[in-house]
Structures are given as C-alpha cells and as structure tokens.
Amino acid sequence: MARATSPFARCALGLAIVSVVALTGCSGFGLLGGKSDPTRVDGRQEAPGPDAFATTRAQLQAAPREAYWPFHLAELYVAADSSTRAFENLDAALAIDANYAPAVSLLSRLYYDAKMHAEAIRLLEEYLARNPAAPDALRASLALHCEAV
C-alpha cells in the first residue's frame, strides 16, 4: 500500500476510513477510551463524585509515571464539564507517554468540540508519523478534523 505523505493525501485517506467507520456505526472518537465509561442508559455521562477524583489522584501519586492516571483524571473532568482541567491532565499524560493512544484520542475529541482543528491535525499527524500501525480510529479522527477546516 502506498504511503500518503502530504497532509491532503492523509486527509483523503482519512476520509475513506471515516466512510468505512461511519458505515459500521462507529464514530472514531472514544473508540480508544480508558478503562471505564460511566454512561447512563439515556446516553449521558454521569458526573463523577469526589471519591472518583480522590481515588484517581491517589493512584496517580502511587504511579506518577503511568500515563493512564492523568488520562483518567481528564476523563473525569470531561464528565464534570471542566475542559480546562481535562486539557491540563491530557497534556500531563502525553508528557509521560506521547504515544498513549487513549490520551491522543480524547484530546482530539476535545479539540474537535472546541473547534481547534489545526491543533488536532498537528497532534494527530505527529502521532501517526511516530506510530504507523496506529488504530484506524485516529486516522478517522484526523479526517474529521481535516474535513472541518
């Protein structure tokens, strides 16, 4: 398979992937989520309680070099409608492990929601360049951002 090198070729490849993903009923975002998904039956996320934050912070202190814990804090902040704190924790997760796909995926989704498409494109292109076998969901996310520009 030929490798797409220009941003436009990558976006075209991503659009093809988005088409396949859309036909299968998946959205590309959230496919690489973490260990938990507190979604209610009506589809809305429940706001996490203070115990969830305290437990996760304790885990982060116990394992400060594990990218999952700041990522999970970011998930909790997203559920609590605090995107500023979510961005901070995703930056922390990616500082620990720049190749942590769930953090890249969630940050891409937050960028999409904030209409920060240029930042998302840069994030995803850099990630995909370092990880040629990256999940197709991240290629689909890149295509969604390219399409939105």
Side-chain angles (χ1 to χ4, degrees):
M1 178 177 187
R3 194 167 202 211
T5 55
S6 76
F8 294 110
R10 283 191 202 121
C11 288
L13 174 63
L15 286 173
I17 292 169
V18 166
S19 299
V20 170
V21 170
L23 289 174
T24 61
C26 300
S27 70
F29 292 125
L31 293 178
L32 299 172
K35 297 177 183 174
S36 64
D37 183 14
T39 305
R40 298 185 329 201
V41 175
D42 64 2
R44 293 182 21 200
Q45 282 192 332
E46 293 186 26
D51 289 346
F53 285 98
T55 301
T56 304
R57 284 189 190 102
Q59 292 291 340
L60 176 59
Q61 284 185 329
R65 301 302 307 155
E66 189 174 327
Y68 172 75
W69 297 113
F71 162 75
H72 186 57
L73 271 174
E75 287 183 310
L76 295 174
Y77 282 118
V78 167
D81 289 327
S82 180
S83 60
T84 301
R85 298 298 305 267
F87 278 115
E88 292 168 0
N89 281 280
L90 288 169
D91 288 342
L94 291 172
I96 294 168
D97 182 358
N99 295 316
Y100 190 58
V104 172
S105 179
L106 182 55
L107 184 55
S108 173
R109 190 186 86 195
L110 292 178
Y111 280 152
Y112 191 88
D113 292 345
K115 299 184 182 353
M116 298 171 68
H117 304 296
E119 291 85 347
I121 291 169
R122 184 174 46 255
L123 168 78
L124 292 165
E125 284 183 341
E126 289 173 3
Y127 177 84
L128 292 169
R130 288 190 312 269
N131 299 283
D136 286 341
L138 291 174
R139 290 181 194 347
S141 295
L142 175 59
L144 290 171
H145 285 286
C146 289
E147 187 176 90
V149 172

